[in-house]
Amino acid sequence: MSKYKDKKAAKFLPKEVQDAINSFLKQFLIMSEYELDEIPREYGVNLIKTLSKYPEYRLLAEELLETMTRGDIYD
């Protein structure tokens, strides 16, 4: 997973969106490093809630929510 270690949210995004994405990415790295099965739900929830505040990212938030509730990520 070292190829993802330096990944960060793009600077053009609103600071709140950057923070939510970066927190989610950090948890992804922790999950990978410790061979965990999933990222704690609150990070996914926070990412979706934050994205949904911005009209330009609302569709992305809806797609993430659909993926997570389908069971592809979370049971």
Side-chain angles (χ1 to χ4, degrees):
M1 285 296 138
S2 61
K3 68 180 181 177
Y4 299 110
K5 192 171 189 169
D6 296 325
K7 298 291 182 189
K8 295 210 183 280
K11 296 287 184 187
F12 68 85
L13 295 168
K15 178 75 168 108
E16 182 180 26
V17 173
Q18 287 181 45
D19 291 345
I21 291 171
N22 290 334
S23 293
F24 190 85
L25 290 172
K26 182 177 178 181
Q27 291 304 310
F28 171 79
L29 292 171
I30 290 169
M31 179 189 73
S32 298
E33 181 180 344
Y34 292 100
E35 298 179 4
L36 303 173
D37 292 331
E38 62 184 45
I39 294 171
R41 292 177 193 262
E42 57 267 20
Y43 292 94
V45 169
N46 183 53
L47 180 58
I48 290 169
K49 283 183 177 180
T50 302
L51 290 171
S52 67
K53 292 179 183 179
Y54 298 85
E56 63 268 39
Y57 306 121
R58 190 161 291 152
L59 180 60
L60 175 59
E62 290 172 6
E63 289 177 2
L64 285 171
L65 179 60
E66 182 181 326
T67 299
M68 290 178 180
T69 57
R70 243 192 353 245
D72 293 352
I73 295 176
Y74 297 118
D75 293 334

